Amino acid sequence: MSLTFHSAPGLTGQALDRVRARVPGPWTARPLWSIPRWLRERPGVSILTAAASAEFGVSTLDQFRIRLTIHRSVERATASCRIDFEQAVLTLIQDDRQGQRRLRLVPVQAGGFLALPLAPRRSDSVVIDFVPTTLPLPSASAPDLHKPFALELRSVHAEIRTRRPMSGRLPIAALVIAPPA
């Protein structure tokens, strides 16, 4: 009898893990009652390519830019959709001897045509430049573009403009860069 009670939380956890693998978070949407519909129609973003450029001074990183080609997909949406990159944050993550180096970047310009709605059942690709929030950086804490690093794009919001609009945050888009040796 106690075996049943102890295994039930384990089975629930396994089922939840399967759901999370199939439908990555975040799951929340506004209004809250639209979560099931949001999960069915939610747009998606993914990073296709990344190109980084850096300019160093004597002992500092003076300029840094990552240009991303981002695929925007509203193929499951039944109405026009607006994908908003205004609050988007790109994090560069690189392992080094001291642990993990992280650099936070924000979009240079995320308005204009990027803020225009996309037609339903469509997809496209856009190019967005990201720059660090703090420059200059000491050369010792700057990323080494000759070593592998990962990019994570977070806080991208979308709004599906149905008769009863719904909006929410999209799942993280990630890309691992491994330069040739």
Side-chain angles (χ1 to χ4, degrees):
M1 188 71 147
S2 66
L3 179 65
T4 305
F5 290 120
H6 289 298
S7 63
L11 292 175
T12 304
Q14 290 173 359
L16 188 57
D17 287 343
R18 276 190 241 117
V19 169
R20 284 184 184 147
R22 192 162 180 237
V23 184
W27 298 356
T28 58
R30 280 176 273 150
L32 204 54
W33 53 263
S34 68
I35 290 175
R37 198 171 112 226
W38 171 254
L39 292 175
R40 275 192 315 273
E41 296 187 28
R42 177 175 65 183
V45 295
S46 59
I47 303 171
L48 297 177
T49 63
S53 64
E55 289 184 22
F56 287 88
V58 174
S59 62
T60 59
L61 173 64
D62 294 333
Q63 290 185 2
F64 188 77
R65 179 178 302 260
I66 295 181
R67 176 168 284 169
L68 295 182
T69 303
I70 300 171
H71 178 74
R72 305 184 300 174
S73 172
V74 294
E75 293 171 350
R76 299 183 312 167
T78 57
S80 67
C81 181
R82 189 172 84 78
I83 299 177
D84 180 17
F85 292 95
E86 287 290 332
Q87 278 101 32
V89 174
L90 180 68
T91 306
L92 184 147
I93 304 163
Q94 189 172 50
D95 293 329
D96 63 4
R97 286 178 256 211
Q98 291 82 23
Q100 204 173 58
R101 177 178 298 153
R102 290 179 171 266
L103 183 61
R104 185 174 185 262
L105 301 104
V106 295
V108 174
Q109 183 178 8
F113 81 93
L114 288 174
L116 295 175
L118 288 125
R121 313 268 186 227
R122 302 276 188 253
S123 66
D124 70 358
S125 296
V126 294
V127 176
I128 303 175
D129 288 345
F130 287 82
V131 295
T133 55
T134 56
L135 278 181
L137 285 174
S139 294
S141 62
D144 184 354
L145 299 178
H146 300 292
K147 294 184 179 174
F149 59 90
L151 298 172
E152 290 183 351
L153 181 61
R154 300 172 183 265
S155 299
V156 177
H157 289 80
E159 177 186 19
I160 299 175
R161 298 178 166 193
T162 57
R163 192 168 50 98
R164 293 181 179 165
M166 57 184 164
S167 64
R169 192 166 36 104
L170 299 181
I172 296 169
L175 180 69
V176 176
I177 306 290

